[in-house]
Amino acid sequence: MTMRVALLTYSTKPRGGVVHTLNLAEALAARGVAVTVWSLARAGDRGFFRAVDPAVTVKLVEFTDLPGDSVTDRIVRSISTLRAAFCADDFDIIHAQDCISANAVGPCIRTIHHLDQFTTPVLAQCHERAIVEPYVRICVSAAVAAELHAGWGLSAEIIPNGVQAQRFIDAASDTPALERWQTQLGRYVLAVGGIEPRKGTIDLVDAMGLVQQRDPSLSLVIAGGETLFDYRDYRAAFEQRCAQRGVAPVILDTVEDAELPSLVAACEAFAFPSTKEGFGLAAMEALAAGRPVVARDLPVLREVFGGAVSFAGSVSGFAAELLAVIDTPPDPAPALALATSMTWDVAAAAHIDLYRRLC
């Protein structure tokens, strides 16, 4: 009998958890699982940010933003809207990928990509329920699993992400696409993930101020950044810091999925200054594209990347490492070997094994 699995996510936009959900769904379907991906569709969305393999069923639940909604209002209504549309009886396995979907569907498996801290009571309660109420938890790294155990005394299965390495390997040899980005942007350091506290964007501006003192030809490019949260205060602080440091970043917002690999492959170096991560998928994609990566020195990133990236624990150290890998690029072979070893098929096989044990 075919196993019926519901994977639930909160958005159609290219956030890390959404990318994870779609790739996992397609890999599960390729192994014969009947997969349905559920998501809220905001602002008139009619599909995900990229085409989804037709072997995967997609169920989008319309969600309308209301004038004057706060972040808390949107999240509470998101939970109730998804809850009203979802029918648990249709599935053998219900697997939520975020706090919103875990709160919406009742008993479920939950992938905890990273652990947040909220000060708003309603959001803190949602976060807490999405950790303690699922009957099984999955973490994409041992570091996050250890954080979960230390904070809540809960255990988790550890199933790392995969990466679509071949897309980025191919982009590295797509000379016309690389030249288009380099003509448009010049020589650039790239960060993907938007302007927000968790991504460490202001620290990156400080580091780029130091980098540009040594090499004014290098610019900062920031891509992506769709989020439910209100980071206007952080964005204002970011713009003020840019003015103070004389850094004028190019902000691309959301880049078409087909264009992202060549944007990554054309950069001089990939910056990954996140203050909190569960795995680091964007950095793994950069390694597949043959680009040197400089990352914040976090236990989770040490676990996932080992010696494949350069680490820095301070702004000045980050600037020094960026200049070092641009001046003398490291051998890309070990990093490429790591990226190609992390496949979605391996991740799907581990999920199926877990699902079968639970069924």
Side-chain angles (χ1 to χ4, degrees):
M1 181 172 147
T2 302
M3 186 185 301
R4 302 167 302 163
V5 174
L7 296 181
L8 298 105
T9 186
Y10 74 99
S11 173
T12 59
K13 306 300 184 185
R15 298 294 287 180
V18 181
V19 173
H20 174 107
T21 302
L22 296 184
N23 285 316
L24 175 59
E26 291 168 335
L28 289 170
R31 283 180 163 263
V33 177
V35 185
T36 302
V37 172
W38 288 76
S39 179
L40 295 168
R42 304 173 188 277
D45 282 347
R46 291 293 174 263
F48 281 96
F49 68 93
R50 67 164 177 84
V52 180
D53 189 319
V56 175
T57 301
V58 172
K59 296 285 189 181
L60 298 182
V61 181
E62 186 171 351
F63 181 91
T64 303
D65 288 323
L66 299 178
D69 262 3
S70 67
V71 171
T72 300
D73 293 334
R74 286 200 300 275
I75 289 177
V76 169
R77 283 201 306 110
S78 295
I79 293 168
S80 62
T81 300
L82 187 56
R83 179 184 294 137
F86 183 74
C87 181
D89 293 341
D90 294 339
F91 302 98
D92 304 307
I93 294 290
I94 300 167
H95 186 168
Q97 296 289 331
D98 51 73
C99 292
I100 288 174
S101 56
N103 274 269
V105 299
C108 65
I109 300 169
R110 163 81 199 284
T111 293
I112 300 174
H113 295 274
H114 64 269
L115 291 159
D116 288 304
Q117 291 181 329
F118 295 109
T119 55
T120 305
V122 171
L123 301 186
Q125 290 165 10
C126 288
H127 183 258
E128 184 73 10
R129 284 196 299 268
I131 291 172
V132 302
E133 292 185 359
Y135 61 89
V136 171
R137 297 153 201 88
I138 298 171
C139 292
V140 294
S141 60
V144 175
E147 190 179 351
L148 175 68
H149 190 268
W152 286 267
L154 297 170
S155 60
E157 301 279 336
I158 300 168
I159 305 178
N161 272 324
V163 59
Q164 287 189 325
Q166 196 60 49
R167 294 179 68 216
F168 292 83
I169 293 169
D170 293 344
S173 59
D174 185 352
T175 302
L178 300 180
E179 290 178 347
R180 282 196 301 273
W181 284 118
Q182 290 160 351
T183 298
Q184 177 183 341
L185 300 171
R187 300 174 64 240
Y188 60 95
V189 171
L190 177 65
V192 173
I195 300 165
E196 58 184 82
R198 187 172 71 83
K199 296 300 180 181
T201 322
I202 289 177
D203 284 348
L204 180 56
V205 169
D206 289 338
M208 283 302 298
L210 298 174
V211 167
Q212 289 176 339
Q213 290 176 14
R214 279 270 312 274
D215 190 344
S217 71
L218 284 167
S219 64
L220 173 61
V221 175
I222 300 174
E226 175 72 23
T227 179
L228 281 178
F229 296 102
D230 183 354
Y231 292 130
R232 282 177 292 183
D233 290 346
Y234 189 83
R235 181 66 176 258
F238 161 82
E239 291 171 354
Q240 182 180 41
R241 192 66 60 87
C242 288
Q244 292 170 345
R245 298 291 184 259
V247 175
V250 177
I251 301 171
L252 299 177
D253 294 323
T254 300
V255 176
E256 290 293 327
D257 185 62
E259 299 294 323
L260 180 64
S262 58
L263 173 69
V264 173
C267 73
E268 297 289 319
F270 190 88
F272 203 62
S274 296
T275 63
K276 186 179 288 290
E277 286 288 344
F279 179 83
L281 182 55
M284 194 68 75
E285 291 169 340
L287 295 184
R291 297 295 78 209
V293 173
V294 178
R296 192 183 295 268
D297 197 350
L298 301 178
V300 61
L301 299 183
R302 288 275 182 182
E303 171 197 340
V304 172
F305 292 97
V309 306
S310 299
F311 292 102
S314 65
V315 165
S316 60
F318 212 96
E321 291 297 334
L322 283 171
L323 287 166
V325 299
I326 291 170
D327 289 344
T328 308
D331 178 6
L336 180 60
L338 173 65
T340 54
S341 73
M342 312 289 289
T343 71
W344 285 108
D345 182 62
V346 169
H351 280 83
I352 290 170
D353 179 66
L354 173 62
Y355 296 160
R356 284 176 176 160
R357 283 188 274 130
L358 295 173
C359 286

